[in-house]
Amino acid sequence: ERAVAGVAAYRAMGACGARCGHGRERPLWRQKLFSAQLPRLADAYKTAPAPSKGGFLSALAHLMRGTPSEAVALQLPTVAPLLVQALASQAAEVKMASLELLISFLQSPDNASHTSLSADNHATTIGLLLEGQVDTLVPALLNAALQSALPVRCRSLDCLAALPTQIQFHKAYPFRAKVTAALSDALTDRKRSVRARAAHCRNVWYMVGA
């Protein structure tokens, strides 16, 4: 509760602190706040009892959502495991916060030139950092794509489609059969937006190693 309350104050401060309180917004204040609070939240999450972990994940997701992705990327070795765990949260808002951050990494302009799916492809910096989480990230994205609210299903499929273009071939290929088979259910989703994304995502994964 304290973690969530702290992030609520952070969001309010960012929304109207300078305008309503006649304060001065200094450059990089969001990055500095993120760098200062991330270790505290990560450590508190690790030692928190199970019923309280969701609150820390929620706080972390909102903190990351208010921070430029470039600053978060520098802390990705610490953030990535927590992002994956946030995808397992029961709160759709927490899932969406983590998915929006993940897609901002995977679709960033710096990664745009590295989209080869061949066996000798070059993984992006973000992809290399995410590779250590692939074994848990792919199942988490599949689960969110098949069992969550509509915005979460759509964003999960976007992330899943972008992932194999940013990681090395030998990391993506072992999941090819699992992903293409699991997406069969999404192809019959009642929402057209989900079906379209599922078709695109499955085509991307079919091309891995083709």
Side-chain angles (χ1 to χ4, degrees), residues 29-208:
W29 75 269
R30 293 179 186 274
Q31 292 91 322
K32 292 177 181 177
L33 180 62
F34 175 76
S35 298
Q37 297 303 319
L38 174 62
R40 297 178 61 186
L41 284 173
D43 290 342
Y45 172 81
K46 293 175 184 177
T47 58
S52 302
K53 287 184 180 292
F56 286 102
L57 285 177
S58 179
L60 180 64
H62 287 300
L63 181 64
M64 290 188 294
R65 185 166 60 181
T67 305
S69 59
E70 296 82 0
V72 180
L74 295 175
Q75 302 290 341
L76 203 58
T78 300
V79 169
L82 299 176
L83 272 179
V84 174
Q85 293 180 52
L87 291 176
S89 170
Q90 297 299 315
E93 189 176 2
V94 175
K95 286 184 179 180
M96 277 303 297
S98 60
L99 287 168
E100 290 295 345
L101 188 64
L102 182 59
I103 198 66
S104 72
F105 293 149
L106 295 172
Q107 295 183 347
S108 66
D110 292 341
N111 294 341
S113 61
H114 300 286
T115 56
S116 172
L117 292 177
S118 62
D120 60 347
N121 74 317
H122 299 285
T124 65
T125 301
I126 296 299
L128 289 171
L129 290 171
L130 288 174
E131 283 181 358
Q133 306 298 322
V134 169
D135 290 346
T136 51
L137 180 59
V138 171
L141 288 172
L142 280 173
N143 185 62
L146 298 175
Q147 300 182 12
S148 301
L150 176 60
V152 175
R153 297 204 304 276
C154 290
R155 222 44 174 154
S156 298
L157 289 168
D158 291 339
C159 291
L160 202 56
L163 184 62
T165 67
Q166 306 300 339
I167 61 177
Q168 297 182 88
F169 169 80
H170 72 275
K171 289 288 186 178
Y173 186 76
F175 291 96
R176 178 176 180 265
K178 179 178 181 178
V179 172
T180 53
L183 289 178
S184 298
D185 291 339
L187 291 172
T188 60
D189 193 278
R190 64 184 184 279
K191 294 294 183 179
R192 181 182 300 177
S193 57
V194 175
R195 296 196 300 270
R197 284 175 167 84
H200 169 68
C201 183
R202 192 166 71 159
N203 287 339
V204 170
W205 281 89
Y206 266 133
M207 292 302 294
V208 175

